[in-house]
Amino acid sequence: MTQTVQPPLTHVRRGNGAPLVSATDLPPRGHFIANEFTADAGGELLDIVNPADESVITQVLVGTADDVDRAVEAAIAAKSGWAQLVPKERAAILHQIADRVDEHAELLARLEAANTGKPLTVARDDIAQTIDTFRFMAGAARSITSQAAGDYAEGHLSVIVREPLGAIGVVTPWNYPLLMAAWKIAPILAAGNVLVLKPSEQTPLTTLKFAELVADLLPAGVFNVVTGFGPVVGNRLSAHPQLDMIALTGSVNSGKAVARNASETLKRVHLELGGKAPVIVFDDADLAAAASALRTAGYWNSGQECGAGCRVLVHESVAAEFTEHLVAEVGSLIVGEPGAGDDVEIGPLTSKAHFDRVCGFLDRARAEGVRAVLGGSAVAGPGYFVAPTVLTDVPVGAECAREEIFGPVVTIETFTEETEAIERANSVPYGLAASVWTENARRGHDVPARLDFGTVWVNAHLVLASEVPWGGFKGSGYGRDLSIYALDDYSRTKHVMHNHTR
Ligand code: NAD
């Protein structure tokens, strides 16, 4: 493939220096236990950094195992009261939470943008999806379906009861801090459970703000937050003998650590892990539509998206044309600070450590002979900006096409045969999401059936809805977010059998 290499992006759009949030917008910086924030005096503190300009926004407490134990104690005390509410009562509270988030949507969006670096449009979408998650789960809680009661053994009436699991530990990532928290909190509460949540140590602010905003809506102890690091707070949550499940959204390594740790108590494990979504573009595809969709699906949230369409496998006969389309689309993305205008589409990466990681992938790809036809490097600071990147001449098995880069980087590989495309798509250890681009209806049914991914889009990518499940296979974990399947995951079935023979 020979494409023109675009000139490098040399600067990003800067804001006018006005901060996105003021001191009064910030949440208290203690843990949120039994509806109160703990005092932060004397505890170890952690800097929370704005990745657009590297300034310190505030600090939060570094939690300990004792803090987790106190939060679990509060949760256990609240467990039976919350479980005993009928679905209608829990649903009413979830709607009130959605209303409260809605009332403070702009504040939450600014706080999320300041802490993660994501553009305000992305942050606003996160908050809108957060509200919808609570509204969906409020409705779904009232319409649980189950096997009909009946005589399945002669003279014995079987009744299937769906019960909450009890108390659940939750660990969330930094890419969609509030939204990923909502994907757990809403179904966990809807199903009648209580929880203790640890947000990412890098991005705890919207979760703490959410706690502050809903404190008067929930009974004390139903929802608790402990901030701090994974190996301490997350570790205690996954090991805690009184928790009935640990649910984590994060990297594969954290998922493995949690599953290992949970095995001692045999608590249930719910894992939403990484992804490396292939985008298979056949020779009969609408190439312009595929490129236009990837402009969003590959680069939304600066590519820090587990379902991002980041690995194109395109038929060799249309590879050059598709690449021209994609480079034109991606080259028009507006890169800037979140406060630099509502039209900014790509912000900085969320942390220095992650920025270094993404730059390392780009350096090693170059060394492997991969070519950046667009971007390919960091943009001069301050801030952790990486230019939107399209990589071509990607050899089979190259690191950049195998590993989750989690930045604004899409690789393009070519294939000749359909079976080869499917095999190579399935060859990564991840199994979260994939897409297939073809105008052939038979192929559009058949190829998804042969792909090992929890979501497969046909002629689309990264379109989600609260009604449909989200979750992976293989190294992307197990357990489902969103939809009634999440409610299933956060509840247990009990069979009660009545002998009525007379
Ligand atoms: P991460 O695994 O580094 O951190 C996630 C959370 O796990 C953090 O709160 C962290 O403190 C905690 N953690 C780390 N080590 C732990 C341990 N030993 N025990 C318990 N908790 C621990 O992930 P990240 O970098 O914050 O997030 C990015 C990752 O999340 C990517 O791999 C991405 O694909 C994945 N992700 C998946 C989904 C999905 O729905 N499948 C959604 C968003 C993000």
Side-chain angles (χ1 to χ4, degrees):
M1 242 191 291
T2 45
Q3 266 83 33
T4 325
V5 176
Q6 302 295 308
L9 183 71
T10 50
H11 66 279
V12 300
R13 196 198 288 173
R14 298 285 169 187
N16 61 8
L20 283 168
V21 287
S22 64
T24 53
D25 295 331
L26 296 173
R29 58 188 194 177
H31 308 302
F32 181 74
I33 298 175
N35 282 6
E36 286 186 359
F37 283 91
T38 59
D40 65 7
E44 195 190 332
L45 293 167
L46 166 72
D47 286 348
I48 303 302
V49 175
N50 176 340
D53 61 10
E54 304 174 48
S55 63
V56 173
I57 305 170
T58 184
Q59 295 177 309
V60 298
L61 276 178
V62 175
T64 63
D66 286 345
D67 295 323
V68 174
D69 289 356
R70 273 192 291 279
V72 171
E73 206 177 302
I76 300 291
K79 191 165 85 166
S80 66
W82 183 250
Q84 279 162 22
L85 294 182
V86 294
K88 179 180 172 179
E89 292 169 313
R90 286 201 294 269
I93 294 176
L94 293 186
H95 275 305
Q96 286 172 349
I97 291 175
D99 291 343
R100 191 64 61 82
V101 172
D102 204 1
E103 284 158 27
H104 297 85
E106 192 58 21
L107 163 62
L108 287 164
R110 284 189 287 105
L111 199 53
E112 199 74 297
N115 194 174
T116 60
K118 64 176 69 196
L120 276 169
T121 37
V122 178
R124 288 184 184 122
D125 186 72
D126 287 8
I127 307 307
Q129 299 308 322
T130 296
I131 295 165
D132 191 56
T133 303
F134 279 98
R135 294 218 189 285
F136 171 79
M137 288 300 168
R142 302 182 68 181
S143 54
I144 304 278
T145 53
S146 198
Q147 187 179 352
D151 282 15
Y152 299 101
E154 193 180 339
H156 291 72
L157 174 68
S158 287
V159 179
I160 307 297
V161 184
R162 202 163 256 292
E163 299 180 339
L165 292 177
I168 299 181
V170 174
V171 178
T172 54
W174 50 257
N175 60 339
Y176 296 101
L178 186 60
L179 183 57
M180 291 302 99
W183 280 16
K184 306 294 185 211
I185 300 167
I188 285 172
L189 293 182
N193 306 280
V194 295
L195 72 150
V196 178
L197 185 149
K198 187 201 93 60
S200 165
E201 57 277 19
Q202 289 152 12
T203 57
L205 298 185
T206 47
T207 304
L208 290 171
K209 192 73 194 176
F210 171 86
E212 185 187 14
L213 292 173
V214 305
D216 63 321
L217 301 178
L218 285 164
V222 166
F223 166 61
N224 307 276
V225 181
V226 177
T227 52
F229 293 102
V232 177
V233 177
N235 191 64
R236 182 60 184 153
L237 285 172
S238 50
H240 202 292
Q242 284 175 288
L243 291 179
D244 302 288
M245 176 190 254
I246 180 80
L248 172 134
T249 300
S251 63
V252 174
N253 279 342
S254 303
K256 286 180 183 169
V258 156
R260 266 194 306 272
N261 217 19
S263 68
E264 274 307 308
T265 51
L266 287 177
K267 61 169 61 65
R268 294 185 189 205
V269 180
H270 188 283
L271 300 174
E272 293 288 355
L273 308 178
K276 183 78 184 175
V279 178
I280 307 178
V281 183
F282 286 101
D283 51 2
D284 64 343
D286 181 338
L287 301 180
S292 164
L294 275 203
R295 183 183 191 275
T296 305
Y299 299 86
W300 184 254
N301 206 32
S302 308
Q304 301 167 122
E305 157 64 59
C306 48
C310 55
R311 182 191 179 202
V312 173
L313 288 153
V314 57
H315 192 271
E316 59 178 359
S317 65
V318 293
E321 190 187 344
F322 172 77
T323 306
E324 293 293 345
H325 280 297
L326 187 64
V327 167
E329 289 282 356
V330 178
S332 70
L333 285 166
I334 298 171
V335 182
E337 293 182 346
D342 284 354
D343 54 345
V344 169
E345 295 168 288
I346 300 275
L349 300 182
T350 292
S351 69
K352 173 77 167 69
H354 186 54
F355 169 82
D356 290 342
R357 190 177 161 274
V358 172
C359 292
F361 274 114
L362 293 174
D363 291 345
R364 289 192 297 279
R366 208 173 300 118
E368 266 192 287
V370 171
R371 212 157 60 103
V373 285
L374 187 71
S377 58
V379 192
Y384 312 131
F385 290 91
V386 169
T389 295
V390 176
L391 299 178
T392 61
D393 300 351
V394 178
V396 174
E399 182 199 51
C400 62
R402 229 177 41 238
E403 302 284 338
E404 183 180 41
I405 299 176
F406 223 54
V409 180
V410 170
T411 59
I412 301 182
E413 298 163 77
T414 59
F415 69 88
T416 48
E417 300 296 333
E418 182 178 293
T419 46
E420 176 204 350
I422 294 168
E423 268 169 36
R424 281 168 56 195
N426 284 336
S427 68
V428 291
Y430 300 104
L432 187 60
S435 64
V436 175
W437 294 81
T438 179
E439 295 296 301
N440 179 326
R442 289 173 194 250
R443 183 187 261 160
H445 284 292
D446 182 48
V447 173
R450 292 151 67 194
L451 288 171
D452 235 355
F453 297 85
T455 295
V456 183
W457 292 279
V458 180
N459 296 325
H461 199 111
L462 212 58
V463 182
L464 276 74
S466 293
E467 289 80 356
V468 289
W470 178 253
F473 302 149
K474 303 193 320 192
S476 294
Y478 38 81
R480 292 293 175 264
D481 282 333
L482 302 176
S483 78
I484 52 168
Y485 298 98
L487 284 181
D488 284 352
D489 284 354
Y490 296 123
S491 58
R492 63 186 189 188
T493 51
K494 180 182 282 177
H495 172 211
V496 181
M497 186 181 250
H498 300 263
N499 178 350
H500 58 85
T501 48
R502 304 182 61 162

